[in-house]
Amino acid sequence: MIRGRRAMVASLMLAGCGPTRLPPVNGQAKGRVVVFRGFVNFFSTGMNILAAQLRLAGWDASVHNHVEWEAQAGAALAAGPALARPFAIVGHSLGADTALRMSGRLRQEGLATDLLVTFDPHILLDLPRGARRVVNFYQGNETIDRVLRPARDFDGALEQRRDDRHWHLSIDKDTALHAEVLRMLEAIRAGS
């Protein structure tokens, strides 16, 4: 089993540019997680690994190019009450920007995001109303400050977590941060 997981993780790292195929969830999914990669759909290979780990843990997780956010928002809205809960959005770099956009758009349509996790957002740092809990993992080793700015009507909980062990292209690959995402999801599930 361990060997199979290692092979799957290695293939996901190498296949960053193409569509990502993940193993099916055994049994009923614990919830739904939409994961977004960043620029050119290649540098955020850590998001592939995170999605695979979530999938193996029983979450209906899928990983996408950041430009696919509108289609993913449409799919979540179309699911309506059948959308698996808790519902989370995770992204790195431009994928983090996309996660912010998607969460805001869903809230405009009446759908709250249970958990929004950003790994070092790139350009968009304005946090719209829409997520119940937001965790922003960002690095401080570059001149750009990637702290989120909540909108005036933001009514969720926001945690800003600076991590100076990383650079922009390495923070998404940190397995300890991946484990934290899984713990957060499990805590939300246990609380609901």
Side-chain angles (χ1 to χ4, degrees), residues 36 38-39 44 90-101 116-128 134-140 142-149 158-162 167-169 171-172:
F36 292 106
F39 182 65
S44 302
V90 180
H92 169 246
S93 188
L94 288 175
D97 297 1
T98 286
L100 293 165
R101 283 186 188 96
L116 171 62
V117 180
T118 55
F119 283 80
D120 218 32
H122 184 62
I123 298 168
L124 180 65
L125 298 173
D126 294 324
L127 174 59
V134 179
V135 178
N136 178 34
F137 296 115
Y138 69 99
Q139 51 80 31
E142 298 171 10
T143 57
I144 300 169
D145 189 8
R146 294 188 164 102
V147 174
L148 297 179
R149 299 177 297 256
L158 170 61
E159 296 175 50
Q160 311 264 17
R161 299 231 195 126
R162 181 173 168 155
W167 297 89
H168 185 67
L169 296 179
I171 195 166
D172 67 301

Side-chain angles (χ1 to χ4, degrees), residues 25 28-33 58-61 83-88 189:
V25 174
Q28 185 174 353
K30 294 179 177 180
R32 174 82 176 110
V33 185
W59 293 84
D60 179 15
L83 180 67
R85 290 290 191 155
F87 174 68
R189 184 170 182 263

Side-chain angles (χ1 to χ4, degrees), residues 49-70:
I49 295 166
L50 174 60
Q53 290 169 336
L54 292 170
R55 197 80 174 184
L56 288 170
W59 293 84
D60 179 15
S62 59
V63 62
H64 306 273
N65 185 313
H66 66 93
V67 299
E68 297 176 44
W69 77 270
E70 289 178 299

